[in-house]
Amino acid sequence: MRVLFKASMDTEKANEAIRNGTLTKLIQESMEQIKPEAAYFTTDHGKRTAYVVFDMQDSWQMPVISEPFFLQLDAEVSYTPVMNMEDVQKGLSQLGR
């Protein structure tokens, strides 16, 4: 299932991770593991935030992906099912059948 992973990082923890070089490593390793369709980095409510769209094969992946962000960055994490245009069209074509 295609999901949107959102990680909003604690500012102090992220600052520390930038200073000691672990933020780049964490993001790099996470992206290699997740193999995202898209990944964007911005701010949300004043916090560094990552938005990553990827195909989650099974729910067991959630702790594997989330824990580094929880443990190293004290991040707030969420997963949201999302669709691309093809998914929406496929779903809509099934209505009324």
Side-chain angles (χ1 to χ4, degrees):
M1 173 184 288
R2 182 177 285 113
V3 297
L4 171 65
F5 169 74
K6 176 184 174 185
S8 293
M9 306 162 211
D10 175 76
T11 301
E12 289 303 315
K13 290 280 191 170
N15 287 347
E16 182 182 326
I18 289 169
R19 287 186 195 107
N20 67 28
T22 58
L23 183 62
T24 301
K25 183 179 177 187
L26 183 146
I27 290 173
Q28 205 167 30
E29 288 174 352
S30 295
M31 295 306 106
E32 288 171 5
Q33 178 183 28
I34 296 170
K35 297 178 182 40
E37 177 180 315
Y40 301 97
F41 303 89
T42 187
T43 60
D44 186 36
H45 301 302
K47 293 184 177 184
R48 292 177 183 95
T49 302
Y51 292 95
V52 182
V53 178
F54 71 102
D55 186 29
M56 182 180 286
Q57 299 298 314
D58 205 319
S59 58
W60 66 261
Q61 292 176 281
M62 293 173 73
V64 174
I65 294 164
S66 302
E67 288 306 324
F69 288 90
F70 287 140
L71 294 170
Q72 296 179 43
L73 301 170
D74 200 19
E76 295 178 17
V77 170
S78 65
Y79 292 88
T80 306
V82 294
M83 297 181 285
N84 63 16
M85 185 56 79
E86 287 178 21
D87 297 333
V88 171
Q89 290 173 337
K90 184 176 180 178
L92 292 174
S93 73
Q94 299 302 307
L95 294 175
R97 286 188 174 199

